[in-house]
Every structure is written in structure tokens, then in C-alpha cells.
Amino acid sequence: MNVFKSPAWNRLERNWQNGFDTLTLYEQETIALYWLETETMNGTLDQFFWNSSGDMAMLAVSGLNRVQAPLTLAALTSALAVFGDQYSLERTERHAALEVIEDQYGPDVFLDASRIIQDLPEDFVLAAVEQLATLYAQQDRSRAA
């Protein structure tokens, strides 16, 4: 199944057009999981953290918990642990922390965790979209009642 052609993904994209802040928590988590997968597959977790997608790291954590993806969650949380208390949702602060981390641990600091996610041990985006499909169906039934 191509999740990005599903009715639930299409509805999420339509809702997203109204702004990220207008989305429900589940929708925001689904977007965060999409970016986690996309950025990590395209580069590594370093790319996820460096780009604006890193603003959604905590949403990705809660989304992975929600869809019960323990292997991916463990990989992401191990990478976040490298930041200690320094992980910031503010990009400029996060960039500064990343530079310190890479100077201290080297450029491949997130490689092991990234490889786990790149192996896609759990299809967490599909799971999140399937949960949204169920939620959307419930909302539609409630409106029709």
C-alpha cells in the first residue's frame, strides 16, 4: 500500500494546508514521523536534527510511542540522549549544540541510530496514517449522527 496515495494521507495534507498549528496532536505526530523517516532515509538523523524537521523531534517521540514502534523509538531516543539537556526546538540553538556534539564525538555520532531507522524495522508512518484513517472515520460517523 502506498500510504501517500491513501485517503487518510490526502485528508491530512488538506488539513495541513491550514497550517501545522491547526492540526490535531495525532496529525502533528504523523507529520513528524513522516519527516523523521524522510530526512533519515535521505541523510541521517543529523539531517533530521539540523533541518526544520528537528523542531518536531518530541512529536516524533510521542508518535513512535503511540504507534508502538519500540525499535525506532529506541534509536531516536538514543540519538536524542547525546544532546543531554541541550536539545532545543529552536533551530539556531540546536545547530550550536550539533556543532559541539560533532566536534566532541565526530561526524558519525548518529550513524548507528540512523542505520536502525533506515532499516525500517517498523513501518511507523504507515501505522500512524492507519490510525488517522480510523480517527477520521470515527469523526465522520460522529458528524453524520
Side-chain angles (χ1 to χ4, degrees):
M1 171 184 171
N2 184 343
V3 68
F4 304 111
K5 293 184 178 181
S6 71
W9 182 262
N10 291 334
R11 184 167 173 175
L12 173 59
E13 282 188 323
R14 284 191 310 274
N15 292 347
W16 193 2
Q17 290 175 357
N18 295 321
F20 186 78
D21 293 337
T22 66
L23 299 175
T24 67
L25 177 60
Y26 280 15
E27 289 171 325
Q28 290 180 353
E29 288 173 346
T30 302
I31 297 298
L33 294 178
Y34 163 78
W35 283 115
L36 173 65
E37 181 178 308
T38 300
E39 295 284 27
T40 306
M41 292 296 191
N42 188 45
T44 63
L45 280 166
D46 185 63
Q47 180 171 314
F48 172 74
F49 294 139
W50 185 267
N51 290 338
S52 60
S53 54
D55 299 354
M56 296 182 246
M58 297 307 121
L59 286 168
V61 168
S62 60
L64 291 169
N65 272 312
R66 179 172 52 87
V67 300
Q68 299 177 5
L71 299 173
T72 308
L73 177 62
L76 178 57
T77 55
S78 72
L80 286 167
V82 175
F83 287 88
D85 293 334
Q86 298 177 23
Y87 192 84
S88 176
L89 300 180
E90 180 62 41
R91 273 183 88 186
T92 54
E93 292 174 14
R94 194 168 59 248
H95 288 177
L98 278 166
E99 289 172 4
V100 169
I101 288 167
E102 289 178 4
D103 285 345
Q104 184 175 358
Y105 298 105
D108 294 334
V109 63
F110 301 115
L111 192 57
D112 290 342
S114 297
R115 285 186 175 151
I116 291 168
I117 295 171
Q118 290 167 339
D119 287 345
L120 204 60
E122 301 133 338
D123 197 342
F124 52 89
V125 174
L126 175 62
V129 172
E130 287 175 344
Q131 285 186 6
L132 273 182
T134 300
L135 181 65
Y136 290 152
Q138 290 169 348
Q139 289 172 348
D140 292 345
R141 282 193 299 273
S142 293
R143 287 185 190 126

